[in-house]
Amino acid sequence: MRQEEGAGDARRELLSAVESLRWVQGLPPLARPADARHAAVLVLFGVLDSVVPAVPDAAVARELDVLLQRRAATLRSHPSEVSFPGGRREPGDADAVATALREAEEETGVDPRDVEILGLLPELPLAASSHLVTPVVAWWRTPSQVAAVDHAETVDVLRVPVAELLDPASRFMSVWTFRGREREAPAFDVGGTIVWGFTAIVLDRLFDAAGWTVPWDTDRTRPVEEFFPRPARGGE
């Protein structure tokens, strides 16, 4: 049941979060920043199909989902992992927003005309593939049909309910070794769908900044090898 009084405004809270979130800890630095390639991802929130809000921006956090995708196992970078739609900036892209929207359309079929850009987070290092990635936070005015467009890159497109990500039972700290150092970062397990690394860190910080986080047990840890039984190449 919707809380009419004091329920908050998810879109407004996301706008505030984007304005306040200036950096994200937990990501290893790039080995050679000068050689990094630029990329962008689309962090797209929308109202669940089963919820019909009175006005488009009246939803509360538990009524939202976020668009994610599962990458193909054959990809050299971050194979089989769950990520935001996105990719490397191309010469024809005017800016990070253009990159994120183009990639999301190519990978998931999102119609850019239905997307409202709320703001950009600072460029973040993705050390495993030597990229500087700009998360573009957006609001889905009218959710459109989405599906994996190019199966060579994306095998599944997911609209994951935010409430399930916020559930303390879904949350844990992932543990992995990178460059000889053990690292920990927030992660999510939603019905066996694991979200970790870069994607999970961005979601975790956004949830905190938006005031949506529900207290959870940060002492609960799982090694990355448990859900990716191969040398971890992504998520860093």
Side-chain angles (χ1 to χ4, degrees):
M1 180 179 298
R2 179 184 297 277
Q3 296 178 2
E4 297 293 348
E5 297 297 329
D9 171 345
R11 178 180 167 280
R12 172 174 47 81
E13 290 161 354
L14 279 171
L15 277 167
S16 177
V18 171
E19 292 172 358
S20 66
L21 196 57
R22 298 304 177 200
W23 48 268
V24 174
Q25 292 178 323
L27 292 166
L30 299 176
R32 294 184 296 274
D35 297 333
R37 293 160 293 187
H38 293 271
V41 295
L42 187 67
V43 186
L44 180 58
F45 292 91
V47 178
L48 290 162
D49 286 344
S50 59
V51 177
V52 182
V55 294
D57 61 355
V60 296
R62 67 175 179 273
E63 297 169 344
L64 303 184
D65 59 24
V66 61
L67 185 69
L68 300 175
Q69 63 180 8
R70 193 184 309 277
R71 295 168 59 83
T74 53
L75 291 175
R76 184 173 64 179
S77 179
H78 313 286
S80 300
E81 296 188 7
V82 173
S83 68
F84 301 116
R88 192 178 304 170
R89 183 170 180 175
E90 295 187 355
D93 295 336
D95 51 25
V97 170
T99 299
L101 289 175
R102 175 184 54 76
E103 288 281 344
E105 183 175 18
E106 292 175 357
E107 293 171 343
T108 71
V110 165
D111 188 338
R113 295 171 297 182
D114 295 332
V115 175
E116 175 191 1
I117 303 302
L118 299 183
L120 280 62
L121 299 182
E123 277 191 323
L124 304 173
L126 195 54
S129 54
S130 190
H131 280 87
L132 282 170
V133 183
T134 301
V136 178
V137 183
W139 184 261
W140 218 345
R141 297 190 191 97
T142 306
S144 51
Q145 292 294 320
V146 290
V149 176
D150 183 355
H151 285 269
E153 292 192 8
T154 304
V155 296
D156 198 11
V157 175
L158 313 166
R159 290 180 57 184
V160 180
V162 169
E164 294 184 13
L165 292 165
L166 294 175
D167 183 350
S170 300
R171 309 207 61 180
F172 65 98
M173 295 292 288
S174 60
V175 181
W176 76 101
T177 300
F178 183 65
R179 294 177 184 160
R181 176 183 169 187
E182 186 175 273
R183 300 182 181 272
E184 290 189 358
F188 305 84
D189 182 345
V190 178
T193 295
I194 305 295
V195 184
W196 77 290
F198 178 92
T199 303
I201 290 171
V202 171
L203 286 173
D204 174 75
R205 298 302 189 267
L206 266 177
F207 293 163
D208 281 352
W212 297 350
T213 300
V214 178
W216 58 284
D217 183 5
T218 56
D219 291 329
R220 183 191 300 135
T221 62
R222 293 172 62 181
V224 168
E225 289 78 8
E226 177 184 321
F227 42 88
F228 282 106
R230 53 172 171 72
R233 297 172 56 185
E236 297 91 349

